[in-house]
Amino acid sequence: MRGLTALILSLAFYSGLAAHAATDLSPIGCAWDKLSAAEQTRLRDEFKVELRKGSFDILFANPDAASAGDAARQCQLNVTPAQIEHLALGLARRAAEEKAKKGIVDHGESADSVKTALGKVHEGKREVIGDALACPGPHTMVGEWDESLKGAIRRANLRFQDGRAYSFVSLALYAILAQEGTMRRMAGTADACSPN
């Protein structure tokens, strides 16, 4: 009987972890679909990566709370002004995901590879990275984060013909983790961003 109880508790623990890891991004998906084509293009075009010696900076697009609020209303999301600010940040990160996936496809590989690699990301790192990248401003990459995502991509065993596509998988992963962070902030389950 004790063994059965331990098994049930263990299953509950691990299913709780899985539920925690699988942050629902559907509000961002709906809001993205409600944005005008011009706003989607602006958000994609403003996403940049600046290379630095031994590192790089990710610059997500400038969020637009007014567009995000309008999209939220069209999606019938019941959100506060503070949550709209986080949703706007999430939409800027969704644009980065879209642009990165286009980079994968442009190099002759499948954008589905991102989902495969995402399943290999360490859960603890997934949350830490996502919560940090969900904050406003440019983000300088942390070597430990980059190594963690490179490890996830290796474990995904993608076997790309064009090795240049791997960097776009990393960028898409960063963008998805950042979206998860914005959703956690909208739900009040992530710490507030540190002031710059």
Side-chain angles (χ1 to χ4, degrees):
M1 187 66 173
R2 254 187 314 177
L4 180 60
T5 303
L7 176 63
I8 291 170
L9 290 174
S10 175
L11 289 173
F13 174 77
Y14 286 110
S15 63
L17 282 179
H20 182 68
T23 303
D24 180 14
L25 298 181
S26 60
I28 293 175
C30 179
W32 176 261
D33 291 341
K34 302 300 182 189
L35 291 179
S36 69
E39 179 63 2
Q40 288 180 351
T41 299
R42 180 192 73 81
L43 290 171
R44 278 192 299 265
D45 288 349
E46 285 186 9
F47 170 62
K48 305 269 188 272
V49 176
E50 291 183 355
L51 299 177
R52 298 160 44 108
K53 188 174 181 179
S55 184
F56 58 95
D57 291 345
I58 290 182
L59 293 88
F60 294 108
N62 290 316
D64 181 4
S67 293
D70 184 53
R73 283 186 289 281
Q74 290 181 61
C75 291
Q76 300 180 344
L77 299 175
N78 185 17
V79 289
T80 66
Q83 288 173 316
I84 289 172
E85 296 287 338
H86 295 302
L87 179 62
L89 290 166
L91 290 169
R93 281 125 185 90
R94 171 63 184 263
E97 176 192 351
E98 297 278 326
K99 192 169 182 178
K101 284 181 173 177
K102 183 180 183 310
I104 296 167
V105 172
D106 287 350
H107 286 89
E109 305 295 347
S110 171
D112 290 342
S113 58
V114 174
K115 184 176 180 182
T116 304
L118 184 63
K120 304 295 183 182
V121 176
H122 182 275
E123 294 304 329
K125 289 280 193 307
R126 185 173 178 157
E127 189 168 320
V128 168
I129 295 168
D131 288 352
L133 295 182
C135 292
H139 300 278
T140 299
M141 282 308 95
V142 176
E144 180 186 343
W145 296 358
D146 220 34
E147 286 305 312
S148 181
L149 292 193
K150 284 178 185 175
I153 292 168
R154 277 192 303 275
R155 288 188 297 277
N157 199 22
L158 301 175
R159 299 177 189 238
F160 286 166
Q161 296 299 309
D162 188 337
R164 294 173 297 177
Y166 287 111
S167 60
F168 289 97
V169 175
S170 288
L171 290 175
L173 290 176
Y174 279 125
I176 292 168
L177 301 185
Q179 289 172 72
E180 292 177 352
T182 63
M183 292 307 300
R184 283 190 293 275
R185 254 194 209 100
M186 280 181 71
T189 59
D191 293 337
C193 295
S194 303
N196 292 340

